Amino acid sequence: RVSSRGDASGARPISLRGEQIALDQAVKLAGLADTGGQAKVLVRAGKVHVNGIVELRPGHKLHAGDKLGDDAGREWIVQA
C-alpha cells in the first residue's frame, strides 16, 4: 500500500505486508508501472534505484528502511 504522506526527505511510504517485497512489486505499488511485466522492463533498463544505486534485478528484495527511486528524482521508502 502506498500513502501520499512522506517522510522528512519527501519520500512516500510503501507499506510491507511481510518482511520483504520484490523490487518489481514495489515498482508497481509506487505507480511507476501498471503491470509486473512493465515493472520488470523498467528495472532491467536501469530506470530504478535502491538506496541510491541502480538495481537491475526485478526480484531484488527490499526491506523496511530501503529507499526506491526513479530517474525523475521521486523517492519511496519501504516501511513495516
Side-chain angles (χ1 to χ4, degrees), residues 36-58:
Q38 289 175 346
K40 288 176 183 170
V41 168
L42 281 175
V43 173
R44 289 183 180 136
K47 303 290 185 187
V48 178
H49 55 84
V50 176
N51 299 324
I53 300 170
V54 172
E55 177 56 65
L56 301 175
R57 298 171 294 160

Side-chain angles (χ1 to χ4, degrees), residues 2 11-12 14 30 32 66-70 74-78:
V2 177
R12 292 167 274 192
I14 296 175
L32 298 175
D66 285 338
K67 285 192 176 180
L68 164 69
D70 68 2
R74 296 176 292 188
E75 280 196 330
W76 295 261
I77 188 163
V78 179

Side-chain angles (χ1 to χ4, degrees), residues 5 9 17 39 42 47 59 62-63 65:
R5 295 169 55 192
S9 69
R17 291 188 182 168
L42 281 175
K47 303 290 185 187
L62 303 178
H63 300 89

